[in-house]
Amino acid sequence: MRKIEHLGLAVENMDEAIKTFEILLNTPCYKLEEVISEHVRTAFFQVGESKIELLEATDQASAIAKFIAKKGRGIHHIAFDVENIEAEIKRLSENGFELIHQIPKSGADNKLIAFLHPKSTEGILIELCQEKTTD
Ligand code: ZN
């Protein structure tokens, strides 16, 4: 794992959260993206070499809606940048970690992603992400 790529924050009101983080971080949101398959809207901010990802549920089927219902808004996941996501999935599986996604899927911000189950990672939801290559 090369760095913390981003922190994912579950928010209830995206417009308000964007305003708050634009002032807090003193930088504009550089990307808004809806991930239909995940039932979420996302907003990204660059902070040095890492990012903040705001996540808002678009309906009750969203994992973000369930998270907020259970725990309230707050830090939802930590995402690590990896060079080879398939190799990392294999390495972590072999070491007893439970993967939510055995096969990488398409995520926001031009990434291939896979989540680890929090029960094998001290209760913290972990995302692996690899930049998609464009050739
Ligand atoms: Zn994320």
Side-chain angles (χ1 to χ4, degrees):
M1 313 233 180
R2 300 190 294 192
K3 65 173 182 182
I4 293 178
E5 212 283 332
H6 63 267
L7 286 181
L9 312 184
V11 305
E12 283 175 309
N13 182 318
M14 184 59 97
D15 294 338
E16 274 180 28
I18 288 173
K19 278 184 214 152
T20 300
F21 277 84
E22 283 187 335
I23 298 166
L24 177 72
L25 302 171
N26 200 23
T27 191
C29 166
Y30 73 86
K31 186 187 270 186
L32 285 168
E33 187 177 350
E34 186 164 346
V35 185
I36 308 277
S37 62
E38 295 297 310
H39 310 265
V40 293
R41 255 194 297 274
T42 65
F44 286 90
F45 297 84
Q46 190 76 43
V47 187
E49 64 169 14
S50 299
K51 295 165 189 160
I52 295 291
E53 172 186 37
L54 304 181
L55 298 142
E56 179 195 48
T58 52
D59 61 56
Q60 290 308 305
S62 167
I64 297 302
K66 288 169 195 155
F67 178 87
I68 286 177
K70 213 156 111 182
K71 298 186 174 172
R73 59 192 182 164
I75 296 178
H76 177 258
H77 64 270
I78 301 174
F80 291 101
D81 177 54
V82 299
E83 200 166 359
N84 181 336
I85 194 165
E86 281 162 0
E88 277 301 310
I89 289 171
K90 185 167 181 285
R91 182 182 73 82
L92 293 167
S93 297
E94 284 169 358
N95 281 283
F97 288 92
E98 192 176 324
L99 275 291
I100 294 173
H101 308 109
Q102 290 287 346
I103 295 163
K105 54 186 256 175
S106 208
D109 203 29
N110 196 41
K111 296 284 193 292
L112 284 173
I113 64 163
F115 279 92
L116 277 78
H117 199 287
K119 73 181 161 197
S120 58
T121 50
E122 303 294 331
I124 310 291
L125 182 60
I126 303 284
E127 175 184 2
L128 307 176
C129 55
Q130 179 190 333
E131 190 83 24
K132 278 185 200 166
T133 47
T134 42
D135 29 25

